[in-house]
Amino acid sequence: MKKMTEKSLHDAFAGESMAHMKYMIFSEIAEKEGYPNIAKLFKAIAYAEFVHARNHAKELGLIKSTPKNLQTGIEGETFEIDEMYPAYDAIAKLQEEKGAERAIHFAIEAEKIHAELYKNAKDNAEKNSDIDIESVYICPVCGYTAINEAPEKCPVCGYPGEKFKKF
């Protein structure tokens, strides 16, 4: 692929990915504010943006086998843990942005768990074996991730475990 096309597709992938996430967040807000049909519209168009992002990712060669995709996940989570979030945290502390510090703390604690979960999953996938889980629980405040059962309360932010989102 020629460099300009590749850069254009990377930029488009980033834009479509961000649009997908924004629209999912907007859908959640519309739902909470009592606009179920507007929420549905946001969610549907978010899916269309996901389709666009997936098409761009495919053309860029970003979609691979599950073990390779897990390795990509491990590398992304590790980068966030070791480099990205520590740098962002230093900036937030320097500028005394308490909300940003809290958001970064929540993210880095969850990313540590995600990296370990991906490593375990990759080990299994490389042996042609799926992982043994029934449910995954996510704290809707900080992203803390628990396997098979939610904790009584989130160990990162203290949110009640019975309010975790179950997958």
Side-chain angles (χ1 to χ4, degrees):
M1 181 177 293
K2 293 189 171 114
K3 290 293 179 192
M4 283 182 69
T5 300
E6 183 179 16
K7 183 180 180 339
S8 295
L9 280 179
H10 271 288
D11 291 348
F13 176 72
E16 298 289 358
S17 299
M18 189 178 297
H20 169 78
M21 292 308 303
K22 282 192 305 190
Y23 297 164
M24 291 301 292
I25 293 165
F26 296 168
S27 173
E28 188 177 85
I29 291 167
E31 187 73 40
K32 285 179 183 173
E33 291 180 346
Y35 303 107
N37 291 330
I38 293 172
K40 185 185 303 182
L41 179 65
F42 273 128
K43 197 173 285 185
I45 294 174
Y47 177 73
E49 305 300 353
F50 163 80
V51 170
H52 302 157
R54 183 184 61 211
N55 291 342
H56 300 329
K58 181 180 176 188
E59 291 304 315
L60 288 164
L62 301 177
I63 301 170
K64 298 180 172 64
S65 69
T66 296
K68 288 179 181 175
N69 290 337
L70 286 163
Q71 183 59 41
T72 298
I74 292 165
E75 290 167 6
E77 302 295 317
T78 302
F79 168 75
E80 290 172 347
I81 295 163
D82 294 342
E83 297 182 44
M84 186 181 86
Y85 280 127
Y88 291 176
D89 190 50
I91 294 166
K93 281 181 170 56
L94 176 71
Q95 297 186 334
E96 299 178 355
E97 295 288 349
K98 298 299 182 198
E101 286 181 57
R102 183 177 56 255
I104 290 164
H105 170 70
F106 288 170
I108 199 166
E109 292 306 313
E111 305 303 12
K112 291 173 185 175
I113 297 165
H114 301 162
E116 289 305 313
L117 291 170
Y118 281 160
K119 287 175 189 173
N120 177 56
K122 182 180 177 221
D123 289 344
N124 278 271
E126 287 176 337
K127 297 173 191 162
N128 293 318
S129 177
D130 201 355
I131 56 176
D132 185 25
I133 62 171
E134 292 179 24
S135 302
V136 180
Y137 292 86
I138 306 293
C139 176
V141 173
C142 72
Y144 175 82
T145 305
I147 302 299
N148 293 333
E149 66 180 66
E152 188 174 314
K153 69 178 189 171
C154 180
V156 176
C157 71
Y159 197 71
E162 69 265 8
K163 293 186 178 183
F164 276 35
K165 184 167 176 79
K166 181 181 177 182
F167 293 86

